[in-house]
Every structure is written in C-alpha cells, then in structure tokens.
Amino acid sequence: MAVAVITAGEVSYIEGFGYLDEKLTTPVTDKTLFRAASISKLFTAQAIMKLVELKKLSLNDEVGLYVPQLKNSQITIKQLLTHSSGLNDLVRPASAKQGRALTRYFNLVGDAAPETSESHNFVYSDTNYNLLGEIIRSVSGQHYDAFIYDNILKPAKVKKSHFYGGTNKNLAEAHPTHEGKLIDKPQQRPYDFAFNPSEGLIANVYDLSRWLTLTLNKDPAILKEQSFEAMLVPRVKTTWGEIYMGLGWQVYENEYGKVARHPGSVRGYKSLVLTYSDNKNAIIILSNSSGTPRWEIAKSVTDILNKNGEW
C-alpha cells in the first residue's frame, strides 16, 4: 500500500508500505505503480471540462453528436458524467489477446443504449466514462491518453503515472492479490484500451499528490476556478445514502465538512481519493489487495489529524 496526505493544499505525508516480492527485497515506495482503477474517472471528467472551457462542446450536448454508434440516443454528456444515462455495464473488458477493437466495443454499447432523453435513476457504470473518453478523442482529434497527458498530467509534472497503452509494457508494478495470495493472470481483470477513461490509470501516490494539490488549489494550469467549482455541485443522488454525483466527483458532507471523493476497485486493487475541498485537505490510498480497508484507514487518518489540530 502507499498513502499520501495533503494538508492545506500541500503534501504533508507520503509513504509506501510493504514489499513487491515474497523475498521482501523490493520495498513499496511513493513511486510504486498500482492500478488506480476508477480514480481514472476524475481525469476524464476534468478533460471534459477542459473541452467545455475551450467551447468544443457543451454538457447538454447529446452523445450521438460525437459517437455515431449512439446517434439514435438522446443521452447527454452531463448524464454520462453523473451516471444518470440509463447505461449499464453489459459490455465487459476484453484482454489484448481477444483483440477487440475500439469500434467493436462502441458498437456493442450502442446496441444496448436507451433511446430516451428522460432522466434516469443513478446507475454507476464504467460505460458512461468510456463513452466520455471517446468524445474526448472525437472532439480533440487526439488519442484519449494523449489529451489527458497534454492537459492534466503534463501541467501537474507527473513523471511516471500513465494510462494503459494497449500492450503488456509498463503495467502496474504491484501485482493484484486476494486474501493474501497473488491472483493468477487468467483470473485478473484484463487491461482493456477501451476502458482507459474509466479505469486505465496506472499511478503512484507521488504523481497523484502532485495532480491533487493543483486540483485542490484550483490551479489554472488545469482548469478555471469556475470549472473546478462546477464539478463539486451535487446533481444526482446516488444509491449510497446521502451521497450525490457531481461531475466526476462523489460529494457529500460529514462532521468535518464538505467531502469530494472517488474510490477505485478492480479485482486485486483498492484505491481512494478523498478530499475536503474547503480546507484543501486530502488522503490518497493505493493498494494491491481486494480486502484493503480503505474507508477505515481514511476515517482513522481524518480523525487523528482533526483531533491533533493538523486539519
């Protein structure tokens, strides 16, 4: 596991725990790469907001304007961002060996898409964000990962973290585990290029902390202040109690103030970005275990820091 803590908009703690090998010779550090899973969605959401700023699209645009496979659907970009499109994850990730092309993936998604513009109940779905990634590619003329690099990772001076590149090179350094045992490759969730916008980020806490400090400080190198603020407005109630979807972020309030978060999970990995945006405080957790108690860890850290007056 690796953890970073941000206090008042600056990194105040960062550390790796454990080892990458059974012989205990290679320690985990703040530079160790994990599958960040759905934390990827925050980068996709910021990229969409960048295109809004550039007047390349509107949040109320219908997805079919940019993705021909959904030309008969009236789903909007905002509905994708808030998981209120009516889309489910009927199409699962495929391994590189299966050789499924991006076009084939979106053909399958288009076949399952509803054709109504009516509001839908909240259904959390990777499909929403994979479509957003295709919109980013269509509008910008760049590959999804190239646009993210130019507009988010590069301004944040990210050194090592990256998106899955469609090959078996540069994958996560921490291998997935379940109940203390490594997960065999056939049982691992496959890397799929089509799923980069929803779960393809391979990251370390050092790089994520650089990006998150810019985000908490509403740094114009990434977005304008009003864009950062718009992303945190509660818009759609989730099925997780009093938690709402903003644009990308999951937002709510607790005893310490307004919270904006996003967890990540694929088999053998658990991750979490949890922020208190008003105070510019945050916790980042990356781990390579299905059983990591990330919520309990985050709560313990939050309680301790508030008790000691550090937050």
Side-chain angles (χ1 to χ4, degrees), residues 291-306:
T292 301
R294 53 188 167 172
W295 302 111
E296 292 84 350
I297 293 169
K299 187 178 188 308
S300 294
V301 171
T302 301
D303 289 344
I304 291 168
L305 290 172
N306 278 279

Side-chain angles (χ1 to χ4, degrees), residues 1-3 28-40 43 153 158-164 170-174 191 199-211 269-271 273 284-288:
M1 183 170 65
V3 175
V28 174
T29 72
D30 60 346
K31 309 295 196 309
T32 299
L33 293 172
F34 294 79
R35 291 186 75 168
S38 287
I39 289 174
S40 311
F43 290 81
L153 298 182
V158 165
K159 301 295 184 183
K160 191 176 178 182
S161 301
H162 60 279
F163 281 82
Y164 171 63
N170 301 318
L171 302 183
E173 295 167 325
Y191 290 88
E199 63 176 53
L201 182 63
I202 299 166
N204 58 51
V205 292
Y206 177 82
D207 287 338
L208 287 179
S209 68
R210 296 183 70 90
W211 158 75
Y269 295 93
K270 293 285 187 184
S271 59
V273 168
I284 304 169
I285 298 171
L286 297 177
S287 77
N288 69 328

Side-chain angles (χ1 to χ4, degrees), residues 41 48 58-64 70 73-88 113-132 135 235-237 245-248:
K41 293 181 174 71
I48 288 290
S58 165
L59 295 182
N60 293 318
D61 286 348
E62 292 182 1
V63 176
L70 274 80
S73 172
Q74 296 176 314
I75 294 169
T76 66
I77 291 174
K78 187 184 295 183
Q79 287 176 316
L80 296 180
L81 285 165
T82 56
H83 296 286
S84 58
S85 67
L87 290 168
N88 291 288
E115 296 184 6
T116 174
S117 60
E118 296 177 2
S119 60
H120 294 274
N121 293 329
F122 171 82
V123 177
Y124 184 85
S125 168
D126 287 339
T127 304
N128 290 310
Y129 277 73
N130 295 336
L131 283 167
L132 289 170
I135 292 170
R235 298 171 189 270
V236 173
K237 194 173 189 297
M245 281 305 308
L247 302 176

Side-chain angles (χ1 to χ4, degrees), residues 10 20 29 33 42 47 54 93 98 113 132 134 150 167 172 185 193 195 200 213 246 259:
E10 295 185 358
L20 292 175
T29 72
L33 293 172
L42 295 176
L54 295 172
Q98 291 174 275
L132 289 170
E134 179 64 3
D150 288 346
T167 70
K185 285 188 177 181
F193 195 66
F195 279 69
T213 54
V259 181

Side-chain angles (χ1 to χ4, degrees), residues 76-284:
T76 66
I77 291 174
K78 187 184 295 183
Q79 287 176 316
L80 296 180
L81 285 165
T82 56
H83 296 286
S84 58
S85 67
L87 290 168
N88 291 288
D89 284 333
L90 298 177
V91 187
R92 310 299 294 174
S95 67
K97 287 184 179 180
Q98 291 174 275
R100 185 176 67 195
L102 275 175
T103 301
R104 175 59 178 161
Y105 171 77
F106 290 112
N107 286 342
L108 292 170
V109 170
D111 291 342
E115 296 184 6
T116 174
S117 60
E118 296 177 2
S119 60
H120 294 274
N121 293 329
F122 171 82
V123 177
Y124 184 85
S125 168
D126 287 339
T127 304
N128 290 310
Y129 277 73
N130 295 336
L131 283 167
L132 289 170
E134 179 64 3
I135 292 170
I136 291 167
R137 186 201 63 77
S138 174
V139 172
S140 70
Q142 292 183 275
H143 288 299
Y144 166 82
D145 55 336
F147 187 84
I148 298 293
Y149 176 79
D150 288 346
N151 292 278
I152 302 176
L153 298 182
K154 186 177 179 180
K157 298 181 180 178
V158 165
K159 301 295 184 183
K160 191 176 178 182
S161 301
H162 60 279
F163 281 82
Y164 171 63
T167 70
N168 288 327
K169 296 180 180 179
N170 301 318
L171 302 183
E173 295 167 325
H175 300 298
T177 69
H178 178 68
E179 296 182 349
K181 296 181 180 179
L182 289 172
I183 299 174
D184 293 334
K185 285 188 177 181
Q187 279 71 52
Q188 294 177 17
R189 184 173 174 92
Y191 290 88
D192 185 337
F193 195 66
F195 279 69
N196 267 357
S198 63
E199 63 176 53
L201 182 63
I202 299 166
N204 58 51
V205 292
Y206 177 82
D207 287 338
L208 287 179
S209 68
R210 296 183 70 90
W211 158 75
L212 194 54
T213 54
L214 292 186
T215 296
L216 290 169
N217 288 302
K218 300 174 183 176
D219 196 301
I222 296 181
L223 290 172
K224 296 177 181 178
E225 182 175 353
Q226 55 264 41
S227 295
F228 284 117
E229 292 175 352
M231 295 181 74
L232 300 180
V233 175
R235 298 171 189 270
V236 173
K237 194 173 189 297
T238 72
T239 53
W240 309 318
E242 294 303 312
I243 299 173
Y244 287 77
M245 281 305 308
L247 302 176
W249 292 97
Q250 301 165 10
V251 296
Y252 59 99
E253 292 189 30
N254 65 17
E255 65 268 36
Y256 299 120
K258 294 180 180 178
V259 181
R261 74 176 197 191
H262 210 297
S265 179
V266 297
R267 189 158 196 259
Y269 295 93
K270 293 285 187 184
S271 59
L272 178 63
V273 168
L274 189 147
T275 75
Y276 293 86
S277 53
D278 287 348
N279 300 319
K280 301 179 182 179
N281 298 331
I283 301 166
I284 304 169

